[in-house]
Every structure is written in structure tokens, then in C-alpha cells.
């Protein structure tokens, strides 16, 4: 299993975006509230999905159990759903019922969904020992019978990967087949920021696997393009301003009118060149920093390089590398 290069708290925003993608066909009938909190509690749940009209059938089977208010808790790869998590969600549901909303509500107005990557064998045993029935509704979806609220436990790595591609891809160690499907699906939605953010996270935690694929280099560059373009724009703007100032000084020395015109033109050209260099250099350093510490001599070599063609080549190598050492060996 690949080791994630992000902290556990960084899993939450991608999960929210993945849920938005998964439930996209029902977005007109719902509001998704991340980090949802009930007034009586200082802590927050991962999500509350409020349906405008709960009588309208959901397109995805994970929503078949949904009511008016649907509380969601998520555990990423590396963490397991526990009895404490289960009790916590029950407690939140009761608090919502009693004082979480301005208007009175019934128990039937609330559902609970606990989602985790790993099969919660111990939790299921504890539920059964407390006279709760665990019924497999379909692969990956288990209904808990005997509770006051409609409750389901969703095991993400057992869901149908065809129906739930994005929801089942939020983990390390993706299969080649799933990588192929993700690349294809992403290319069909590459202009959508929601998909770009999710794909960026998936690639980040699976960079080593994706870097081995030639076709993934273009996808990675596409994901990085907005950041790179912004950085280049800032660098070019700074470079042009510096170039104009240098050109004006040069022009004053050479002659007022002709000298300033020539000096400013040369200064702008040099400034744009310098800005592009700085933008690409910074992108290379940021990508490499995700893999570990960058040796001082390599950092200096990147910062001192002035050939744009060489810098672009290094940027492609940085995107596809799986370690700083591998990148150094490629440019040596």
C-alpha cells in the first residue's frame, strides 16, 4: 500500500467533493453542508445532506435510505469505523431531533450514514451483540435494523466500482484498470473544478503509481496548469515591471526618446523571460518538496537555470518522478 503524503484531516474536502460528484444528478433536490454542527455540540459531523423533497427517488442506491435530514460520517483509508463513531452519530441524530432544528421533527425525518474504506468487522459484531440486525442491502451497503433512525454502513471498497467510480477511488493503491477509468472520466470533465480538485487529490496520494504512466503526464500537467499559469502571470508581471524600470534607466543614459523606447522594449522582453523562468522554477520546487527535502545544491541548480527549454523538461520530469533522488538522477 502506498503511504499517503497528506495528513488525515486533508481527506475531508476531497470526500465532500466526491459526494457532490456521486450525487450530481440529485443536486437540484438537496443541500450539502460540510462540517455540519448541531447547536448543542461543539464538535461537528462530516456532512449533513438536506433533501428538499425526500419523496423524490435518489439516482444512487446509497441514497435509498435518505430522509429529510441525512447525517454522514466518513473514515478514510487507514482508519476504521468504531462503536464510538456509531454512538456519536446516534447521539447527534437524537440531538437534532430534540433541538437541532427550529421546527419539530419526527425520528423518521433523519437518517444516518457511516462510510469507511475498511470492512468494520468488530463494529458489526458489537451491533449484533446488542440485538441489532445487520442486513446486506447490496455490495458495500449494509442496513442496521432495530434502530430508531434509518441507519446504513457503507464499506467503500466493496461498493460497485462501475457505479461508484469516484467514491471508490479515494484511496492509495489504485488498480491499473481503475486508473484507466479515472483518466478517461477526468478527461471528459477536465474543465470542471470539482473534478479537477478530486483528481488532484487522488493523483497526489497515488503519485508513484500514476507517474509510471506516460499518458498521465499530460493529465498531471493539465491539473497543474491553473497554478502554473497563475505563477507565470505573477512572475511575468514582476519581471515586466523590473524590465521597464531598467529600460527607462538605460534609455535615460542613451537618449531621452529613442533610448527610452528601445530600453523599455528590451526591458519588457527580458522581464517576461525572467518571469517565466521564475514561475517554472517555483513549480518544480513545489512538486519536489512533496516528495521530501530538496538538497541545497539541487535547489540552487534549479534556481540558477535560465534556459526555458531545460526548465520545461525538468518540470515534466518532476511531475512524473516518485522521489527527489529519482529526479536528481534524471537531470544528472
Amino acid at each position: 500500500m502506498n503511504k499517503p503524503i497528506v495528513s488525515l484531516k486533508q481527506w475531508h474536502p476531497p470526500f465532500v467533493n466526491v459526494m457532490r460528484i456521486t450525487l450530481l444528478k440529485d443536486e437540484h433536490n438537496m443541500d450539502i453542508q460540510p462540517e455540519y454542527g448541531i447547536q448543542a455540540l461543539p464538535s461537528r459531523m462530516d456532512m449533513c445532506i438536506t433533501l428538499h423533497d425526500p419523496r423524490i427517488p435518489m439516482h444512487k442506491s446509497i441514497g435509498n435510505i435518505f430522509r429529510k435530514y441525512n447525517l454522514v460520517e466518513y473514515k478514510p483509508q487507514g482508519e476504521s469505523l468504531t462503536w464510538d463513531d456509531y454512538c456519536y452519530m446516534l447521539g447527534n441524530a437524537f440531538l437534532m431531533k430534540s433541538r437541532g432544528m427550529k421546527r419539530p421533527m419526527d425520528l423518521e425525518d433523519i437518517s444516518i450514514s457511516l462510510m469507511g474504506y475498511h470492512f468494520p468487522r468488530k463494529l458489526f459484531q458489537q451491533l449484533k451483540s446488542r440485538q441489532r440486525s445487520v442486513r446486506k442491502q447490496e455490495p458495500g451497503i449494509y442496513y442496521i435494523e432495530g434502530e430508531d433512525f434509518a441507519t446504513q454502513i457503507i464499506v467503500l471498497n466493496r461498493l460497485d466500482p462501475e457505479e461508484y467510480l469516484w467514491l471508490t477511488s479515494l484511496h492509495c493503491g489504485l488498480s491499473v484498470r481503475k486508473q484507466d477509468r479515472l483518466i478517461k472520466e477526468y478527461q471528459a470533465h477536465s474543465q470542471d473544478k470539482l473534478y479537477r480538485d478530486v483528481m488532484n487529490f487522488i493523483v497526489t496520494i497515488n503519485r508513484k503509481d500514476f507517474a509510471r504512466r506516460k499518458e498521465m503526464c499530460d493529465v498531471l500537467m493539465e491539473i497543474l496548469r491553473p497554478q502554473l499559469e497563475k505563477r507565470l502571470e505573477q512572475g511575468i508581471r514582476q519581471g515586466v515591471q523590473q524590465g521597464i524600470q531598467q529600460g527607462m534607466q538605460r534609455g535615460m543614459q542613451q537618449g531621452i526618446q529613442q533610448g527610452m523606447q528601445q530600453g523599455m522594449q528590451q526591458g519588457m522582453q527580458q522581464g517576461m523571460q525572467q518571469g517565466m523562468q521564475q514561475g517554472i522554477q517555483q513549480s518544480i520546487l513545489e512538486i519536489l518538496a512533496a516528495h521530501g527535502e530538496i538538497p541545497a545544491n539541487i535547489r540552487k541548480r534549479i534556481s540558477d537555470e535560465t534556459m526555458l527549454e531545460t526548465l520545461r523538461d525538468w518540470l515534466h520530469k518532476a511531475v512524473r518522478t516518485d522521489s527527489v533522488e529519482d529526479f536528481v538522477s534524471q537531470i544528472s
Side-chain angles (χ1 to χ4, degrees):
M1 181 186 298
N2 294 353
K3 182 180 180 181
I5 58 175
V6 294
S7 63
L8 288 175
K9 67 180 180 180
Q10 291 177 281
W11 289 85
H12 182 261
F15 169 68
V16 173
N17 287 337
V18 161
M19 286 294 288
R20 293 186 188 279
I21 291 174
T22 302
L23 303 175
L24 199 57
K25 290 184 178 180
D26 296 296
E27 64 175 345
H28 62 283
N29 188 38
M30 67 173 62
D31 292 320
I32 294 181
Q33 299 169 272
E35 296 288 344
Y36 183 77
I38 296 175
Q39 187 176 2
L41 284 178
S43 58
R44 294 177 176 270
M45 292 165 286
D46 286 323
M47 187 185 304
C48 178
I49 300 173
T50 304
L51 299 186
H52 302 157
D53 186 353
R55 295 169 299 179
I56 299 176
M58 300 286 290
H59 286 81
K60 293 291 186 180
S61 55
I62 63 171
N64 288 346
I65 203 173
F66 281 4
R67 303 298 191 257
K68 176 69 175 178
Y69 303 102
N70 307 283
L71 308 182
V72 180
E73 185 72 359
Y74 167 68
K75 292 295 181 181
Q77 184 181 26
E79 290 195 344
S80 298
L81 291 168
T82 67
W83 175 247
D84 286 342
D85 297 322
Y86 188 87
C87 293
Y88 171 74
M89 293 302 288
L90 280 178
N92 276 298
F94 277 112
L95 279 170
M96 172 176 274
K97 195 280 179 206
S98 62
R99 46 185 149 170
M101 295 291 172
K102 293 182 179 179
R103 70 170 185 82
M105 66 174 67
D106 297 324
L107 295 174
E108 291 75 19
D109 290 331
I110 303 172
S111 82
I112 299 171
S113 296
L114 293 102
M115 300 187 183
Y117 179 79
H118 305 284
F119 186 81
R121 193 175 309 279
K122 184 175 181 180
L123 173 57
F124 282 170
Q125 291 172 349
Q126 291 171 315
L127 287 168
K128 291 177 181 179
S129 70
R130 290 168 171 80
Q131 286 70 54
R132 299 295 187 268
S133 175
V134 178
R135 176 167 59 88
K136 182 179 179 180
Q137 184 70 9
E138 64 179 70
I141 301 178
Y142 301 85
Y143 285 180
I144 311 302
E145 299 177 338
E147 287 295 355
D148 293 298
F149 304 97
T151 304
Q152 66 178 350
I153 293 177
I154 298 174
V155 184
L156 298 178
N157 68 1
R158 299 197 178 189
L159 287 175
D160 181 357
E162 300 295 321
E163 183 180 0
Y164 294 101
L165 173 64
W166 294 97
L167 191 56
T168 60
S169 297
L170 210 61
H171 65 89
C172 303
L174 295 174
S175 67
V176 173
R177 181 183 178 187
K178 185 165 281 189
Q179 291 176 37
D180 289 337
R181 286 204 60 209
L182 282 170
I183 293 171
K184 183 177 180 180
E185 283 292 313
Y186 173 74
Q187 289 172 335
H189 300 90
S190 60
Q191 300 306 310
D192 190 323
K193 185 177 182 300
L194 198 61
Y195 285 84
R196 285 204 307 271
D197 289 346
V198 172
M199 192 65 176
N200 187 20
F201 182 82
I202 292 173
V203 169
T204 298
I205 62 176
N206 289 278
R207 186 180 294 274
K208 185 174 181 179
D209 291 330
F210 276 116
R212 297 191 183 105
R213 305 174 61 94
K214 182 179 182 297
E215 66 270 31
M216 197 59 202
C217 185
D218 294 334
V219 177
L220 284 168
M221 291 302 295
E222 189 173 334
I223 293 171
L224 291 170
R225 185 177 292 120
Q227 302 173 25
L228 180 58
E229 288 177 349
K230 182 178 180 181
R231 200 170 292 124
L232 287 176
E233 183 181 349
Q234 293 173 345
I236 290 173
R237 190 184 302 116
Q238 294 174 359
V240 168
Q241 291 175 351
Q242 294 174 4
I244 290 174
Q245 292 175 355
Q246 294 173 3
M248 290 180 65
Q249 292 175 358
R250 225 182 278 124
M252 292 292 289
Q253 295 172 358
Q254 294 175 2
I256 298 298
Q257 186 172 358
Q258 182 179 359
M260 284 187 67
Q261 184 176 359
Q262 294 177 350
M264 287 178 65
Q265 185 176 2
Q266 294 174 2
M268 288 180 66
Q269 291 175 348
Q270 293 174 3
M272 289 180 67
Q273 177 88 2
Q274 181 181 2
M276 291 179 69
Q277 290 173 9
Q278 293 174 350
I280 298 176
Q281 288 164 348
Q282 187 62 29
S283 294
I284 294 171
L285 292 171
E286 287 186 6
I287 293 171
L288 292 179
H291 295 290
E293 186 175 353
I294 305 172
N297 63 319
I298 298 301
R299 184 180 291 274
K300 184 176 187 302
R301 183 178 172 186
I302 294 170
S303 300
D304 291 346
E305 180 58 53
T306 59
M307 296 293 292
L308 285 177
E309 184 177 349
T310 300
L311 287 170
R312 290 193 183 101
D313 177 63
W314 288 359
L315 179 59
H316 279 80
K317 285 182 168 60
V319 166
R320 298 187 63 182
T321 194
D322 56 7
S323 67
V324 176
E325 293 75 14
D326 177 61
F327 173 81
V328 172
S329 68
Q330 292 186 56
I331 67 172
S332 298

